[in-house]
């Protein structure tokens, strides 16, 4: 699979505002934040999208969500709520073909999303 910008950030080739790193994932501040807090939780495994994952990725997906929850706590988002988003595929708005979770908070959100 072709290397993406996230693959290069994980490899340390491109700088990022990293707020968490484990053996499985990193969390970085989004370069183009859509809310006062906007963090990306990214698996180190170069999965293209959620739909590219298989049964063998179930534990990893759990770790991604659990880290998202912990980061929401650490970043003070519990009281006012927060939004968790995965864009899957181009028409859903996915621009980087490396699976990532958006964690957004610090403002009110609308539903349905645009
Ligand atoms: P998506 O549209 O769901 O694929 O989200 C990709 C996000 O990645 C988008 O919100 C902008 C962010 N992004 C793109 N390039 C970079 C980068 O080089 N550094 C950081 N920190 N974020 C990036």
């Amino acid at each position: 699979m072709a290397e993406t910008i996230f693959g290069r950030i994980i490899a340390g080739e491109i700088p990022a505002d990293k707020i968490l790193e484990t053996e499985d994932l990193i969390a970085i501040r989004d370069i183009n934040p859509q809310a006062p807090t906007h963090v990306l939780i990214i698996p180190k495994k170069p999965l293209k999208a959620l739909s590219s994952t298989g049964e063998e990725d179930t534990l990893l997906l759990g770790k991604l969500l659990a880290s998202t929850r912990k980061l929401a706590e650490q970043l003070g988002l519990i009281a006012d709520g927060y939004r968790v988003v995965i864009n899957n595929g181009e028409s859903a708005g996915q621009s980087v073909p490396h699976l990532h979770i958006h964690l957004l908070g610090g403002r009110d959100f609308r539903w349905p999303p645009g």
Side-chain angles (χ1 to χ4, degrees):
M1 142 175 191
E3 182 109 64
T4 68
I5 192 87
F6 292 163
R8 298 191 66 197
I9 288 171
I10 290 163
E13 296 167 10
I14 294 177
D17 186 356
K18 197 188 296 177
I19 58 175
L20 173 70
E21 179 162 15
T22 72
E23 64 178 316
D24 299 301
L25 61 88
I26 62 168
I28 61 172
R29 302 265 183 192
D30 195 293
I31 205 168
N32 183 24
Q34 302 302 309
T37 298
H38 188 172
V39 171
L40 304 171
I41 297 89
I42 308 170
K44 290 183 176 176
K45 184 176 178 180
L47 296 155
K48 187 174 175 193
L50 182 61
S51 56
S52 309
T53 64
E55 284 300 316
E56 68 278 12
D57 299 309
T58 301
L59 179 59
L60 175 60
L61 290 170
K63 288 179 177 179
L64 289 166
L65 265 187
S67 289
T68 302
R69 171 178 55 79
K70 286 179 202 159
L71 283 164
E73 292 168 7
Q74 287 168 17
L75 295 168
L77 302 179
I78 303 300
D80 292 334
Y82 57 90
R83 182 164 286 182
V84 176
V85 172
I86 298 176
N87 296 321
N88 189 89
E90 272 181 45
S91 64
Q94 185 176 4
S95 60
V96 180
H98 182 136
L99 173 63
H100 50 283
I101 295 176
H102 295 260
L103 169 63
L104 301 124
R107 67 170 172 86
D108 291 334
F109 296 95
R110 297 187 182 178
W111 194 263

